[in-house]
Amino acid sequence: MANIRDVAKKAGVSVATVSRVLNHPNTVSPTTMEYVLSVIKELNYTPNGLARSLALNKTNTIALLIPNILNPLYMEIAKGVEDVAHKKGYNTLLCNTEESQKKEADYIDMLIKRRVDGLILTASLLNKEEIQQIKKQDITLVMIGKNKNVKHGSVVFTDYMLGGYIATKHLIEIGYKRIAHISGAVHQIENQEKRAGYEKALKENNLPIDKRYIVEGNNEIEGGYLAAKKLLQLKCKPEAIFVANDLMAFGAIDAIKSEGLRIPEDIAIVGFDNIEMSALVEPKLTTVSQPAYKMGLLSARLLFDHIENGDDEEHVHQEIFLQPKLKVRKSCGHEERVREIFS
Amino acid sequence: MANIRDVAKKAGVSVATVSRVLNHPNTVSPTTMEYVLSVIKELNYTPNGLARSLALNKTNTIALLIPNILNPLYMEIAKGVEDVAHKKGYNTLLCNTEESQKKEADYIDMLIKRRVDGLILTASLLNKEEIQQIKKQDITLVMIGKNKNVKHGSVVFTDYMLGGYIATKHLIEIGYKRIAHISGAVHQIENQEKRAGYEKALKENNLPIDKRYIVEGNNEIEGGYLAAKKLLQLKCKPEAIFVANDLMAFGAIDAIKSEGLRIPEDIAIVGFDNIEMSALVEPKLTTVSQPAYKMGLLSARLLFDHIENGDDEEHVHQEIFLQPKLKVRKSCGHEERVREIFS
DNA sequence: CTGAAAGCGCTAACAT
DNA sequence: ATGTTAGCGCTTTCAG
């Protein structure tokens, strides 16, 4: 592969001129410019980005770590991030941690070696040491979703506790008493918060918190299916279930149907995330929405603020706080219940 | 950030020794080894991968280009690719082309600059020139899905024509005559092939090919919705629709339901891809399955064969040919029809 | 087992 | 407007 020296030689100019043609076109005479360009084409020269980044100490690359590429929620976030990165002239590396703390740490290690200019961590599982390790390298960091191990740092997050609370409260308000919860993987803080919201709503309304009504799923469709099956084996089945994400809610719906039960008549369901498919399942899913695309957008903007202003010096931190909202559809039985109440 | 020289100096050894400690541990005495390692830790030294790649002319990185990160089909492929890359010690860059030829070309340009060791293109839209451009750089290339502009080259592909054929044929066999087709974006060859299969089945059975029954969607849920709406406005509505992918099939189902029509009683649906959600919509979707994860696996294996054996010299090409299979569920009305026929 | 030094390809002063 | 050259941080001969 041709390099910049080959081009310079063939064009009869210095490497500096070739470099200028590529990076500062206005500082070079039109004639040489044109000629060098023609040689570049002739030689099929493609500048070596590694060398460039090395010389500039800048990769124009950021990385986004997400727990699961099969969850559309994260893909929405990714789109938001990519869109702003692209506008800024940055490339973004999408890394799938599969909810594994080790994979996450490994990726970060690799990304530091690659000298990415910034890092966005989604639903991070990192422990204190690992976070320290990142901070020591001077890589700009933004988190999506809180990680208890970073006290200071820029973060975009949704109030998951509130989300769990409003979901559960709504179920209570329309008359359900035996409300179960299919929790997401508990190693994720957001799931602990959703559960806390669930319990808070229960307590506030003097409803008992029954351990048997709380079962953990693996965040995927199958996990919701399995968890629901477990719930359905209880002698005293729940009347409603608050599920920690839509994917699991889909699985739960499938499980409930497979037992010949109806939704919401026999069991009501509320999900979390409001991914596109949630409006397409039968019955349409009542769910707590969070603005995924916007979360991506905002986190990327935050990141570039820091990168460009160089104020990632442990000084300026921003927290962007998003409100979840309940999206009432069919699966919670809202209509039926309200009709009942007023009749 | 500390570099290798800082470490060498502090440890009182040469940079070569530090490099050896990291890359050829067995060629260095245990004593120095240990000491150097301690200094590395103390200084928080992280080797610069850019410099390393530059020196070695090897990035240990491959890239996978896909048309849409919101389509689970591609995410399954991505998992397959990542799994084998990871085992080989490679990182994989996931690039979302959003079905844009320009974005695809731009990504490739960037990836060549970054000197990735290999490239996997999924449902590529590249034209002859662009393909030539890649071949001129010495980057190993594997395609998932045929691109008519590459005559020679390694490729993993599904027989989409056959897929379209078996889907349509099945509808014909269970008694439908007015069969419509919601095609995917026609700039993608696979969609042309699916449609060809559809037409072939129709012709073979002396059924007319009615242009009004063929409408193009944008490959996403919404596209399927819109296309179905169009079909439903026809005075003579179709009895069945073969939809070019599951996502659009979901949209079509939604559209049909929203008109108060039943599936499959009023209109039958067959999709394509067999993504996980297709078994969870109501009614469960009959669809043509293709082994996405395996496609990712195989394409990556092919790529590494070439990378490691260096036989990407325009010589050795492999084509891996996958058979689609019909997965019969509820949406095509198979049961009802068979019952009818035998009664 | 270890060190010295050349080189990977590029950029940016500094000169001219 | 253009050329010369010293790095950027690493790996790897080649010597010892």
Side-chain angles (χ1 to χ4, degrees), chain A residues 1 44 61 114 136-137, chain B residues 1 44 61 114 136-137:
Chain A
M1 258 180 110
N44 258 301
T61 303
R114 270 192 177 27
K136 275 179 192 155
Q137 325 292 136
Chain B
M1 256 181 110
N44 258 300
T61 302
R114 272 191 175 27
K136 275 178 191 156
Q137 324 292 135

Side-chain angles (χ1 to χ4, degrees), chain A residues 45-74:
Chain A
Y45 168 64
T46 313
N48 185 319
L50 299 169
R52 178 163 213 271
S53 290
L54 182 59
L56 290 178
N57 193 29
K58 187 94 175 58
T59 54
N60 268 271
T61 303
I62 64 170
L64 170 66
L65 274 69
I66 51 170
N68 182 3
I69 53 177
L70 281 169
N71 189 144
L73 179 80
Y74 298 119

Side-chain angles (χ1 to χ4, degrees), chain B residues 5-22:
Chain B
R5 238 172 304 115
D6 299 330
V7 176
K9 196 181 301 174
K10 180 133 195 169
V13 300
S14 72
V15 294
T17 301
V18 178
S19 176
R20 286 194 190 97
V21 166
L22 261 14

Side-chain angles (χ1 to χ4, degrees), chain A residues 95 108 261:
Chain A
C95 306
I108 289 174
L261 264 23

